Amino acid sequence: MNLIEVYIQEVTRRLPEKSRADIALELQSTIGDMLPDDYNEEDVKDVLGKLGSPAALAAGYRDQPMHLIGPRYFDVYVSLLKMILPIAAAVALISVAAEFIFDFNRDDTIINAVLGFMGYGIWRLIEVAVQVFFWLTIVFAVIERMDKGKEQHPLSPSLKPWTPEDLKSITYIPKKKAISKFEVFGSLMWTAIWATLYFYADRLMGVYRGGGEGLEFQIAAVSQEVLLGYWPIVVVIIALEVGLALYKLIIGQWTKRMAIFNTVLELFATIVFIFILLNPNLLQPEFTAYMSDLFSISAAQFKNWLLGGIMMVFIFYAGMSIFDGIRKSRIQ
């Protein structure tokens, strides 16, 4: 076996066909100059070892990278991926919640509804993540191969070579002040859950009893007609909560302005829902009668206990959220 011919073949087969003959002659001449007059197979192996892998040598002739995304653009690529992926996922989650609300099957049980929402939501998030990763990778792979510059120093997110001046445009975020992606998605998920419960309360909240095919919905806890009487202001609250979550995602840290907005939103939402809970026609008579018999108390006592407990939860949660936001916004 002629190792020189095989080596040249392995190099040239990775090159454009029009340049193969010239590069083959050049390599033949280069290898011949490097070999001694009376060479043997060991001498050939030594020379070919110095020339390196045929794939690497071919890449040098092609003047193209052997990697999909190299160090020059890798930091920019990762930064954009971290920025675009959460936003795309948040939009996908909102769209899933909207589809779920409008396409909800009223004959479905709460367990099936929740499992269906979670399963479809997870699948949509995976699909969006794959799409974002695929297209962003393709774009940067094309940019990598179109860049004819010889400068290979990593670029900053502004697509310029890094200098110490770039540090002036970066805001330092203390760890305790930072807003995690988990917190943002938790907020969006909670908004989607309570919005679904609100608009389909007559089918999701109530008394369930065991049936032949599992739990079956029997008695509605609240009047859907009463709840829908407040739907415009509830939609405003949903929009404000989604807007706050996206604002948290973009800013990435608690600020005084964000804490003020969060305080106003929590107070506004708490007042609205307490006002709804105080509606005397909110609870269904059949539900209060069933539950009062179950706990051996009067209907009025059960009603006061249930609504009072829900109000306390609303107030406690709002207070904790307001306190936490103000505390974190003051961290230097």
Side-chain angles (χ1 to χ4, degrees):
M1 179 184 293
N2 190 325
L3 295 181
I4 296 176
E5 291 182 358
V6 174
Y7 183 85
I8 293 174
Q9 172 189 286
E10 285 298 291
V11 174
T12 55
R13 75 179 181 85
R14 292 176 167 86
L15 300 173
E17 191 168 348
K18 61 181 181 180
S19 61
R20 290 178 182 176
D22 293 337
I23 293 176
L25 291 175
E26 180 183 333
L27 280 174
Q28 189 79 46
S29 175
T30 300
I31 295 172
D33 293 339
M34 295 174 68
L35 289 170
D37 293 336
D38 188 18
Y39 65 87
N40 54 35
E41 185 173 322
E42 291 302 319
D43 294 325
V44 172
K45 289 181 180 179
D46 183 59
V47 169
L48 297 183
K50 292 179 181 178
L51 290 175
S53 165
L57 188 60
Y61 279 110
R62 291 175 61 92
D63 195 25
Q64 289 186 354
M66 293 181 64
H67 42 253
L68 195 60
I69 300 173
R72 180 168 170 80
Y73 290 100
F74 187 75
D75 186 59
V76 182
Y77 165 75
V78 172
S79 298
L80 283 176
L81 190 64
K82 289 181 178 179
M83 180 179 67
I84 296 174
L85 191 58
I87 295 175
V91 173
L93 191 62
I94 294 170
S95 67
V96 168
E99 290 178 21
F100 184 77
I101 290 174
F102 289 111
D103 298 336
F104 180 72
N105 184 1
R106 288 179 168 269
D107 296 327
D108 210 351
T109 65
I110 186 170
I111 295 178
N112 291 335
V114 172
L115 292 178
F117 172 74
M118 292 180 62
Y120 184 57
I122 292 172
W123 173 252
R124 179 66 69 85
L125 290 177
I126 293 174
E127 182 182 11
V128 168
V130 170
Q131 289 284 345
V132 171
F133 177 78
F134 174 79
W135 289 112
L136 193 63
T137 302
I138 290 295
V139 169
F140 272 87
V142 172
I143 293 175
E144 181 86 37
R145 280 145 185 79
M146 291 179 63
D147 188 359
K148 301 300 182 180
K150 300 297 182 181
E151 179 64 49
Q152 291 301 315
H153 293 298
L155 298 178
S156 66
S158 62
L159 296 180
K160 297 179 180 178
W162 183 88
T163 65
E165 289 294 321
D166 293 337
L167 297 175
K168 295 181 178 180
S169 62
I170 300 175
T171 303
Y172 172 71
I173 302 177
K175 186 176 181 179
K176 294 182 178 180
K177 193 175 185 177
I179 300 174
S180 65
K181 303 293 190 302
F182 179 80
E183 180 180 346
V184 173
F185 285 112
S187 299
L188 290 172
M189 182 65 73
W190 169 242
T191 300
I193 290 173
W194 76 252
T196 302
L197 290 174
Y198 178 87
F199 285 102
Y200 294 98
D202 61 333
R203 289 294 179 179
L204 295 176
M205 293 191 294
V207 177
Y208 287 79
R209 294 173 181 169
E213 298 181 356
L215 291 177
E216 294 182 359
F217 190 81
Q218 297 291 328
I219 304 173
V222 297
S223 170
Q224 192 65 53
E225 184 178 352
V226 171
L227 287 178
L228 292 180
Y230 303 95
W231 75 264
I233 197 168
V234 171
V235 170
V236 171
I237 293 174
I238 293 173
L240 291 176
E241 286 191 357
V242 171
L244 178 61
L246 295 178
Y247 184 58
K248 288 179 179 179
L249 182 64
I250 295 171
I251 302 300
Q253 65 172 327
W254 280 95
T255 62
K256 292 182 178 179
R257 181 179 298 179
M258 186 182 296
I260 293 173
F261 183 84
N262 180 67
T263 299
V264 173
L265 176 57
E266 290 292 347
L267 291 175
F268 176 61
T270 302
I271 292 172
V272 169
F273 283 109
I274 288 178
F275 185 77
I276 294 174
L277 290 171
L278 291 175
N279 189 307
N281 299 318
L282 178 63
L283 294 180
Q284 295 282 22
E286 296 84 356
F287 174 74
T288 54
Y290 176 85
M291 297 303 292
S292 61
D293 290 341
L294 183 65
F295 290 103
S296 301
I297 57 176
S298 66
Q301 286 178 314
F302 171 76
K303 191 173 181 179
N304 292 335
W305 172 78
L306 177 62
L307 297 180
I310 296 175
M311 290 181 194
M312 291 300 296
V313 171
F314 270 118
I315 295 172
F316 176 79
Y317 174 80
M320 289 296 295
S321 177
I322 292 171
F323 172 77
D324 190 56
I326 293 175
R327 179 181 62 82
K328 289 182 177 179
S329 68
R330 291 180 176 177
I331 298 175
Q332 299 298 326

